[in-house]
Amino acid sequence: MTATQEPTQGAAGEIGRDRRRKEDQRLITGRTRWTDNITLPGMLHLAMVRSPFPHARITSIDTSAARASTNVVAVLTGADLAESQGACINAWPVVTDQVTPAHLPMPTDRVAFAGETVAVVVARSAAEARDAAELVEVEYDELPAALDLKEAAAAHETGGALAHPDLGTNVSAVWRFDSAEAGTGGDVEAAIAEARANGIVIEREYRQQRLIPAFMEPRSVVVDPTGEQITMWSATQVPHILRFAIAATTGVPESKIRVIAPDVGGGFGGKLQQTPEEMIAFAVARRLGKPVKFTETRSESLLTAHHGRDQWQRLTLAATKDGHVTGLKVDLLADLGAYVAIVGGGVPVLGAFMFNAIYKFPAYQFQTTNVLTNKTWTDAYRGAGRPEATFAIERLMDELAAELGKDPLEVREMNWIKHEEFPFTTVAGLEYDSGNYEAATARAKEMFGYDALRAEQAERRARKDRVQLGIGVSTFTEMCGLAPSRVLGSLNYGAGGWEHAEVRMLATGKVEVVTGASAHGQGHETAFSQIVADRLGVPFEDVEVLHGDTQISHKGLDTYGSRSLVVGGEALVRAADKVIEKARPIAAHLLEASVDDLEFSGGRFTVKGTDSGMAITEIATAVFAAHNLPDGVEPSLDSEATFDPVNFNYPHGTHLCAVEVDTETGQVRMRKYACCDDIGNVINPLIVSGQVHGGLVQGIAQALWEEAVYDENGTLVTGSFVDYLLPTAADTISFELDHTTSPATTNSLGTKGVGEAGTIASTPAVVNAVVDALRPFGVHDVAMPCTPERVWRAINSGGSGGETTGAAAPHFDPSTGMSGTVDRAEGDVQ
């Protein structure tokens, strides 16, 4: 894909144009400033001493040898920083009685996961700090570790290991939603009972494996305490939230803290934490009165940066004999790891509203049990709860189709919300404002060549080919634009969801835009320039976007949950409109016309019925001079706005995947992938394509390659890219993309989120394709990632994971990931 030729003047039609990203020039020419590139006079370097054990009591720490090492300035323990290190916060206690262990950046007496910091070495170079860290002698008294999620959940009843013995339980919270109790639908137990008697009940258990965000740039932090303020540079997604968290837990006034997120090399949710390393660096810098830097190694990143997913999902779907869904029951076990992260306990709750997906379920019940274990803590990872929900429901819809002997798309169409039914209030209580699942699916089928591939699949099956063809379907919607403050408040979320923006008209006619959204690769500077250029009628090149610095962008709630455009972009629109309205009486005065006779278009105010007019850039110069302004009008066009939407927004799409599975080796090869997403109005198609491509690869990687694995001792055995398998371009194929347009009604731009869409939709599309290829072998599931070994074992298990009749308890074989039962009314053909 190539960008269109870019004009040097004018701004007409900026929205909807392919614009190459403004950010890329400095990135690809090496003129950027990553946090690790920052060097300050007299700066010291930190190295962390980390626990090798998942759970142990710290009995002694001998720092003498490290202190004596060349150029070592200090070696500090948790006890040394006890009064100044602050704490890592949990911003979302999902229930009032949530069990939340205290999370000190550096513990003083006990470690709760392998990789937790127990001491920090301060030296004049990073190499000297790392060398000295090897000399710190720590004595531990090992404790029983809670590692298995299911065993940990039951430990208070079975006497099993406790992640935090002082808490008396590993269950942090139980959060429940029931449509009958909420008044949004019927009784799910009654629906299931009716289906057992007269319809179909499908029960399945799925595993969402643990994943690592694996962003391109490792986390890095620099703290300078030598000025009037303490300045922190950090590779973070959340500079505003980070500043608040530091102030709230250390007692340092927020006005005395400046946080800067310079160019940040990706995040995917993995950099939305207030990290222990940031807090330790802050405390050390204050203690020594000197600038300090810490940059993690890749192995440290994989070990201690928060992980994602990690759930057991037990689901029951009820349907009529012809395939109309009547009820859905979801029971989750969610592994939080050793601590309740900043929004970690809320990730399953976000998913709770999406298991019903695009379907008209009359009854629904959801429950998550959030469990503490002695592993790295989990939190939001691209999609945050919605990929987990989409995976489960899309796998179930395929299972329903297989049981009925119908095409998976036919079963979906029987049950989805029709385009004329929008706005539609779902059984989970959300109002979907717009959508057209029929149009997106039709376009996806056309691009994919669906009917021809089904015909080829039938031929291969008839020939009993060694390489079988599987076709996977995934339809999805998601709640994104994480924002409505009242909704978040009702869920006990600790912050709001608004976003702030400012538009400044400079004396020369150029425009500065300040946004509270903090970019880490999304293309904010480009897309926001397009929005403002279109709104004000100024050249795209004349708009400068400022962000990521709490001193410049004094208000904001940062970037996550596909919120930048739909929340931050709308704040920009409102600020730009205020600029126009502030300019209107000044233009009328200068043109000697009535305000009511002025029209604004293409960057100019004109007097109706005349050629008399004035550009907004000219007005900016006149305001700067302030020689001839109306009485009582201030000499400024600068305007700001804060936008808090009343609803989420709901992108959707249909993704289709074809894979070839070698039934002798278990090897899976992607053959074709086509998707059609509806993300409302598009600001920059080129950026959108990049977002979708990246999201697809991450979702496909969960299906086929990625998994964070711990051994029985609590050691992360996938602690490098040798063992944690990230895909490269050579591992993927070209994707065919398109979009339909159902404008959002919750913002004036009509936009919907896109940053997480590809990740949400692609995982079930690929797994459904793998399972579809193996159905002739009696296989109805393969645990992710679908490695050749797991696929081979599933094929050669003799169909032990295949469907059974009656009310037998679900069986699960961890080597194949196969589980579940199907219960049909008596008298039906099995």
Side-chain angles (χ1 to χ4, degrees):
M1 181 180 295
T2 59
T4 56
Q5 184 177 359
E6 299 178 8
T8 56
Q9 301 207 25
E14 278 297 334
I15 289 178
R17 297 185 60 184
D18 284 337
R19 279 283 195 182
R20 291 186 177 180
R21 301 195 320 174
K22 286 185 173 183
E23 302 89 328
D24 288 348
Q25 186 64 25
R26 70 175 184 273
L27 293 174
I28 63 178
T29 56
R31 292 185 292 107
T32 186
R33 290 190 84 192
W34 309 112
T35 301
D36 190 48
N37 291 344
I38 295 169
T39 300
L40 302 176
M43 186 172 71
L44 303 173
H45 296 262
L46 309 184
M48 305 298 165
V49 180
R50 300 185 184 276
S51 168
F53 302 110
H55 197 198
R57 191 172 290 108
I58 303 169
T59 58
S60 68
I61 302 178
D62 183 354
T63 63
S64 57
R67 289 176 189 271
S69 293
T70 303
N71 286 328
V72 169
V73 174
V75 182
L76 302 169
T77 67
D80 296 323
L81 298 177
E83 300 301 319
S84 60
Q85 65 174 320
C88 296
I89 65 172
N90 167 237
W92 195 349
V94 295
V95 293
T96 56
D97 60 347
Q98 175 175 287
V99 175
T100 309
H103 188 183
L104 295 177
M106 191 154 51
T108 59
D109 58 351
R110 184 177 57 85
V111 294
F113 70 98
E116 189 159 20
T117 300
V118 296
V120 57
V121 176
V122 188
R124 301 196 184 281
S125 74
E128 288 166 329
R130 287 194 294 268
D131 287 345
E134 298 289 333
L135 302 177
V136 176
E137 296 288 340
V138 185
E139 295 291 335
Y140 297 95
D141 181 8
E142 286 189 67
L143 299 170
L147 298 172
D148 180 89
L149 176 54
K150 290 185 176 181
E151 291 176 1
H156 60 288
E157 298 173 348
T158 63
L162 296 176
H164 298 273
D166 57 307
L167 300 180
T169 181
N170 289 325
V171 175
S172 173
V174 177
W175 190 92
R176 186 173 183 271
F177 176 88
D178 189 288
S179 61
E181 296 171 1
T184 58
D187 184 335
V188 76
E189 297 294 351
I192 293 170
E194 171 62 23
R196 290 197 193 281
N198 299 302
I200 302 170
V201 174
I202 295 179
E203 299 175 277
R204 291 289 184 268
E205 186 170 21
Y206 297 125
R207 180 74 168 113
Q208 282 280 324
Q209 79 269 39
R210 179 175 280 245
L211 300 176
I212 302 175
F215 27 73
M216 184 182 296
E217 175 205 21
R219 297 173 304 165
S220 182
V221 58
V222 172
V223 181
D224 182 4
T226 60
E228 291 297 315
Q229 293 177 305
I230 303 174
T231 301
M232 174 184 285
W233 292 262
S234 181
T236 181
Q237 297 175 221
V238 290
H240 297 89
I241 293 172
L242 177 56
R243 181 176 70 157
F244 168 82
I246 294 171
T249 63
T250 65
V252 177
E254 195 171 356
S255 61
K256 294 297 184 182
I257 302 170
R258 179 184 184 182
V259 176
I260 302 170
D263 289 307
V264 177
F268 313 121
K271 292 178 181 174
L272 57 70
Q273 289 296 335
Q274 165 212 11
T275 70
E277 292 83 0
E278 288 164 333
M279 299 301 293
I280 292 168
F282 189 84
V284 171
R286 288 180 67 204
R287 182 183 179 98
L288 300 181
K290 293 181 179 294
V292 302
K293 177 194 284 186
F294 171 74
T295 301
E296 67 186 2
T297 65
R298 180 59 69 181
S299 293
E300 284 181 298
S301 180
L302 295 174
L303 178 66
T304 66
H306 81 245
H307 295 173
R309 312 289 192 255
D310 206 347
Q311 294 179 358
W312 279 107
Q313 304 173 313
R314 188 167 66 246
L315 302 105
T316 304
L317 182 145
T320 62
K321 293 179 182 178
D322 63 355
H324 285 92
V325 296
T326 58
L328 178 66
K329 183 177 180 179
V330 179
D331 191 3
L332 298 187
L333 287 180
D335 192 338
L336 302 184
Y339 298 104
V340 188
I342 194 165
V343 294
V347 169
V349 175
L350 285 175
F353 298 99
M354 288 286 101
F355 276 88
N356 52 283
I358 67 173
Y359 307 114
K360 294 184 284 189
F361 279 97
Y364 173 55
Q365 185 186 97
F366 171 93
Q367 180 170 295
T368 179
T369 302
N370 294 348
V371 182
L372 297 161
T373 62
N374 293 117
K375 292 182 280 188
T376 301
W377 67 95
T378 61
D379 207 330
Y381 171 55
R382 199 169 189 171
R386 290 99 78 202
E388 296 92 315
T390 300
F391 176 85
I393 188 59
E394 289 304 289
R395 289 289 297 110
L396 276 182
M397 294 305 287
D398 257 33
E399 294 301 290
L400 178 60
E403 178 65 17
L404 294 167
K406 292 185 177 181
D407 185 278
L409 280 173
E410 179 186 353
V411 172
R412 286 167 170 81
E413 185 174 3
M414 288 170 57
N415 288 287
W416 70 36
I417 304 159
K418 305 298 189 291
H419 71 273
E420 64 270 14
E421 295 177 289
F422 288 94
F424 184 90
T425 300
T426 74
V427 73
L430 298 181
E431 182 180 273
Y432 295 177
D433 64 323
S434 68
N436 190 328
Y437 309 140
E438 301 97 311
T441 301
R443 179 63 184 131
K445 285 183 67 177
E446 179 184 2
M447 290 190 296
F448 190 66
Y450 187 83
D451 294 337
L453 284 168
R454 281 293 183 200
E456 180 185 343
Q457 179 188 56
E459 293 172 2
R460 289 195 184 199
R461 287 183 175 179
R463 293 196 306 264
K464 301 185 184 298
D465 279 1
R466 166 182 166 175
V467 178
Q468 287 291 309
L469 181 66
I471 297 171
V473 173
S474 174
T475 52
F476 85 101
T477 190
E478 57 158 326
M479 54 184 284
C480 66
L482 191 64
S485 296
R486 291 185 179 182
V487 175
L488 296 177
S490 71
L491 295 172
N492 213 33
Y493 184 68
W498 49 264
E499 194 49 80
H500 184 77
E502 183 178 355
V503 176
R504 303 170 181 164
M505 291 296 301
L506 304 182
T508 55
K510 310 300 184 184
V511 182
E512 280 184 347
V513 169
V514 182
T515 174
S518 183
H520 47 282
Q522 293 87 344
H524 287 181
E525 294 175 29
T526 305
F528 288 172
S529 293
Q530 289 179 270
I531 292 170
V532 173
D534 246 16
R535 211 72 178 186
L536 296 181
V538 299
F540 169 80
E541 296 80 5
D542 287 354
V543 182
E544 185 79 14
V545 178
L546 307 176
H547 61 87
D549 183 340
T550 61
Q551 190 95 321
I552 295 171
S553 171
H554 64 285
K555 291 175 65 177
L557 285 173
D558 304 317
T559 297
Y560 40 85
S562 298
R563 70 188 304 272
S564 296
L565 177 61
V566 296
V567 186
E570 179 65 16
L572 276 177
V573 167
R574 296 184 179 209
D577 286 349
K578 287 182 179 180
V579 169
I580 295 168
E581 291 311 305
K582 289 179 76 170
R584 189 177 298 276
I586 301 171
H589 177 77
L590 295 173
L591 293 169
E592 299 181 345
S594 167
V595 170
D596 296 335
D597 289 336
L598 290 188
E599 296 176 331
F600 182 78
S601 178
R604 289 182 62 82
F605 287 99
T606 56
V607 181
K608 296 177 184 177
T610 75
D611 294 330
S612 179
M614 195 173 192
I616 196 169
T617 53
E618 297 176 278
I619 297 170
T621 303
V623 167
F624 172 74
H627 294 162
N628 185 20
L629 299 182
D631 292 341
V633 172
E634 64 177 346
S636 174
L637 298 181
D638 298 351
S639 299
E640 56 185 293
T642 301
F643 175 61
D644 193 349
V646 297
N647 194 3
F648 300 101
N649 69 91
Y650 303 94
H652 68 82
T654 297
H655 289 227
L656 302 172
C657 177
V659 301
E660 292 181 328
V661 179
D662 188 321
T663 59
E664 292 187 6
T665 67
Q667 182 67 43
V668 176
R669 185 180 72 86
M670 292 186 65
R671 163 89 171 268
K672 190 169 187 177
Y673 197 106
C675 62
C676 182
D677 293 314
D678 190 325
I679 56 168
N681 294 329
V682 174
I683 303 300
N684 186 318
L686 190 62
I687 290 178
V688 165
S689 294
Q691 289 281 343
V692 174
H693 274 248
L696 290 177
V697 173
Q698 280 187 287
I700 293 166
Q702 178 176 7
L704 296 179
W705 299 298
E706 293 186 36
E707 183 176 22
V709 178
Y710 286 86
D711 66 15
E712 65 277 5
N713 298 314
T715 301
L716 182 70
V717 297
T718 52
S720 76
F721 286 154
V722 173
D723 300 297
Y724 189 83
L725 301 182
L726 285 185
T728 68
D731 297 306
T732 58
I733 61 174
S734 294
F735 308 123
E736 296 186 32
L737 315 181
D738 203 351
H739 67 270
T740 52
T741 303
S742 302
T745 64
T746 54
N747 63 78
S748 64
L749 291 168
T751 58
K752 302 178 182 181
V754 68
E756 296 163 300
T759 304
I760 290 169
S762 57
T763 308
V766 174
V767 176
N768 277 341
V770 172
V771 174
D772 186 55
L774 302 183
R775 286 202 186 277
F777 299 86
V779 174
H780 67 65
D781 198 21
V782 179
M784 295 186 292
C786 299
T787 61
E789 179 184 0
R790 284 178 172 167
V791 172
W792 184 88
R793 287 182 181 276
I795 294 169
N796 290 277
S797 65
S800 62
E803 296 167 356
T804 59
T805 60
H811 162 74
F812 189 86
D813 179 348
S815 67
T816 64
M818 298 187 294
S819 66
T821 65
V822 176
D823 192 0
R824 296 189 65 135
E826 287 190 20
D828 292 332
V829 177
Q830 299 294 317

